[in-house]
Amino acid sequence: MKLVRAALGLLLLAPPLVRAVEPISLGLALAGVLTGYISYPRLYCLFTECCSQKRSLSREALQKDLDSKLFGQHLAKKVILNAVSGFISNPKSKKPLTLSLHGWTGTGKNFVSKIIAEHIYEGGLSSDYVHLFVSTLHFPHAGNIRQYKDQLQLWIRGNVSACARSIFIFDEMDKMHAGLIDAIKPFLDYYDLIDGVSYQKAIFIFLSNAGAERITDVALDFWRSGKQREEIKLKDVEQALSVSVFNNKNRKEKDSTGLEQLWWLLAQ
């Protein structure tokens, strides 16, 4: 509607011109603006961000960005490059893309999310189609979990309905209540439609400190064995992470299923 507002604004700023135009002519002019808005979305998208005008992802450009900006994370670079470029180029994906990034604060999890968002939408994290949630900020009170759950599901459903290629980033997953994790899980599985909405083109990125200590242990074990950091394989880290996630002592016993079930689902 920004185009319509612009047309109305021009008319309001030029009252002598308005008086000189017959009412019927003015009505036809406004009808033409509205018709153009409805019939020519590309014209409308010149004035505002549109989901249909997301930038086409270049595997080469993404690789160059990861190589030049992300250091000491050879596993992350390889997995992210293959997963993101493969998903975007696949017109018949069977489920949304889910990425679970683990590590200590400052290791680049949020930075990687920013790079991914910028390669899909020009606005990056500021895009209307990229949604960032921080557990301790957006869901701080355990007593409001039912309300948070309903609001989160409505938010995801509404935004994917408006733009299938919506990106959802969840930070501090290790601090998220299991009930909220349960609210997200249905959107991540192999469903063609959920209540009439397809989530197969959406992207979910989960950031967590869970497993950071075990990742450090793996790196130290390789160093003590005289091996290079680059020799660490994904399977070495995955095994350590799965053990750490299932034995996370920072969560209450009653919450002990949510993150484990999400980890299992992401591994499928």
Side-chain angles (χ1 to χ4, degrees):
M1 294 300 292
K2 290 184 179 179
L3 186 59
V4 179
R5 295 194 195 104
L8 291 173
L10 288 173
L11 292 172
L12 290 172
L13 288 172
L17 177 62
V18 175
R19 286 195 294 269
V21 179
E22 294 180 3
I24 294 179
S25 300
L26 178 59
L28 290 174
L30 290 176
V33 171
L34 290 170
T35 302
Y37 166 71
I38 296 170
S39 303
Y40 302 99
R42 290 183 180 178
L43 179 61
Y44 172 72
C45 293
L46 292 175
F47 298 88
T48 187
E49 182 184 36
C50 289
C51 175
S52 60
Q53 286 197 335
K54 53 189 175 293
R55 58 173 55 180
S56 57
L57 185 137
S58 166
R59 179 186 174 92
E60 292 73 22
L62 177 58
Q63 181 171 9
K64 182 178 179 181
D65 234 10
L66 291 171
D67 287 340
S68 62
K69 297 178 179 179
L70 191 64
F71 302 99
Q73 301 290 354
H74 67 287
L75 288 179
K77 286 193 282 190
K78 181 178 179 180
V79 171
I80 290 166
L81 178 64
N82 291 333
V84 174
S85 61
F87 179 75
I88 296 296
S89 63
N90 180 11
K92 297 182 179 180
S93 56
K94 299 297 184 182
K95 61 179 293 188
L97 173 63
T98 53
L99 295 172
S100 186
L101 308 181
H102 297 252
W104 294 116
T105 301
T107 53
K109 301 187 299 295
N110 286 283
F111 188 55
V112 166
S113 302
K114 177 175 179 290
I115 292 175
I116 294 172
E118 289 174 346
H119 278 266
I120 297 176
Y121 290 108
E122 187 173 350
L125 294 178
S126 299
S127 170
D128 290 339
Y129 309 113
V130 179
H131 313 278
L132 172 63
F133 299 93
V134 181
S135 294
T136 54
L137 176 63
H138 294 101
F139 316 112
H141 306 296
N144 295 336
I145 291 302
R146 178 173 295 181
Q147 178 183 350
Y148 294 152
K149 180 178 179 178
D150 293 341
Q151 291 176 341
L152 182 57
Q153 289 186 328
L154 284 172
W155 182 264
I156 294 174
R157 184 179 301 113
N159 281 283
V160 173
S161 298
C163 180
R165 188 73 80 196
S166 290
I167 301 175
F168 301 93
I169 303 170
F170 294 89
D171 197 3
E172 299 183 346
M173 282 297 296
D174 50 302
K175 299 179 179 67
M176 182 177 282
H177 192 282
L180 277 175
I181 296 175
D182 290 337
I184 300 171
K185 287 189 297 183
F187 303 115
L188 308 181
D189 217 333
Y190 291 90
Y191 295 114
D192 291 335
L193 295 172
I194 300 178
D195 294 331
V197 180
S198 172
Y199 298 87
Q200 294 172 337
K201 292 185 180 299
I203 297 175
F204 292 83
I205 303 175
F206 302 100
L207 313 179
S208 175
N209 288 347
E213 187 173 337
R214 291 294 299 134
I215 294 173
T216 301
D217 290 341
V218 171
L220 282 173
D221 288 343
F222 269 72
W223 177 76
R224 289 169 181 150
S225 301
K227 299 179 181 178
Q228 297 295 318
R229 181 186 181 91
E230 288 71 21
E231 294 181 64
I232 300 176
K233 304 297 183 184
L234 184 60
K235 62 181 181 180
D236 301 317
V237 178
E238 283 182 332
Q239 183 176 2
L241 277 176
S242 63
V243 172
S244 178
V245 167
F246 277 85
N247 292 280
N248 186 358
K249 298 179 180 179
N250 294 325
R251 291 176 296 108
K252 296 179 181 179
E253 185 65 28
K254 65 178 182 179
D255 295 342
S256 62
T257 60
L259 194 57
E260 291 89 332
Q261 290 177 6
L262 178 63
W263 171 260
W264 180 86
L265 185 61
L266 294 177
Q268 302 309 301

